[in-house]
Amino acid sequence: MPDEASTRRPDFSDGPKVALGDGQIWTLPRPWLRLYPTRDGDGRIGVGGGPSFGAEFEDLIDELTDCDPDDHAGRLAVQFRMTAALLLRNYDLTDRDLRRLLVVDAEDPDCRDRWAKINLVLTGRSPKPSADGSAAR
């Protein structure tokens, strides 16, 4: 498994840090403010949007929102796609690397906490820093 620093892309973007499946701290890009018009039920135009990673990512958010809440495999597949897309913006990773970094493992006691932090980033919120200053621990 390559280390985090050696796989950084030249256009690496600092952002929230999360310990992934290999135990290393990895950085996901920070979202930016993105606004767009929306139409309410009465046809009035309003403002939508907020923290975003771009239009393609917003499509994945819509896909996740449209998933049946009981379709755990479907929801997880979208979350994998979203997280992989963000990691690949910052890092040069192989499919094997992604498989090791983004694993959901029932035997891993840190897995639930790891994915809770990842999901905060996916929705445009950053994990709260811990007392030692790291959001990943």
Side-chain angles (χ1 to χ4, degrees):
M1 183 82 207
D3 67 45
E4 183 271 345
S6 71
T7 59
R8 287 185 179 186
R9 293 169 112 26
D11 57 347
F12 177 87
S13 172
D14 199 18
K17 293 165 182 24
V18 180
L20 296 181
D22 66 346
Q24 293 183 77
I25 306 300
W26 295 79
T27 302
L28 298 170
R30 188 179 325 279
W32 61 88
L33 180 63
R34 184 173 147 85
L35 304 174
Y36 46 81
T38 60
R39 191 182 322 230
D40 68 16
D42 295 328
R44 291 183 298 233
I45 300 295
V47 177
S52 177
F53 296 101
E56 290 177 14
F57 196 85
E58 290 165 2
D59 291 343
L60 289 172
I61 295 263
D62 290 343
E63 193 174 325
L64 184 63
T65 302
D66 293 342
C67 275
D68 181 326
D70 295 325
D71 181 6
H72 301 294
R75 294 179 66 76
L76 187 56
V78 177
Q79 289 171 306
F80 279 151
R81 288 172 39 212
M82 294 168 78
T83 310
L86 293 182
L87 273 176
L88 292 170
R89 286 185 186 182
N90 269 352
Y91 300 99
D92 221 356
L93 300 169
T94 66
D95 290 349
R96 177 180 279 189
D97 298 335
L98 289 172
R99 184 172 67 228
R100 291 179 178 168
L101 293 173
L102 300 180
V103 66
V104 172
D105 185 346
E107 297 297 315
D108 179 355
D110 298 323
C111 187
R112 183 179 299 270
D113 185 51
R114 174 182 315 122
W115 277 95
K117 289 175 181 171
I118 290 169
N119 283 321
L120 286 174
V121 175
L122 296 180
T123 57
R125 300 171 290 164
S126 291
K128 299 263 188 262
S130 67
D132 68 358
S134 168
R137 294 194 182 113

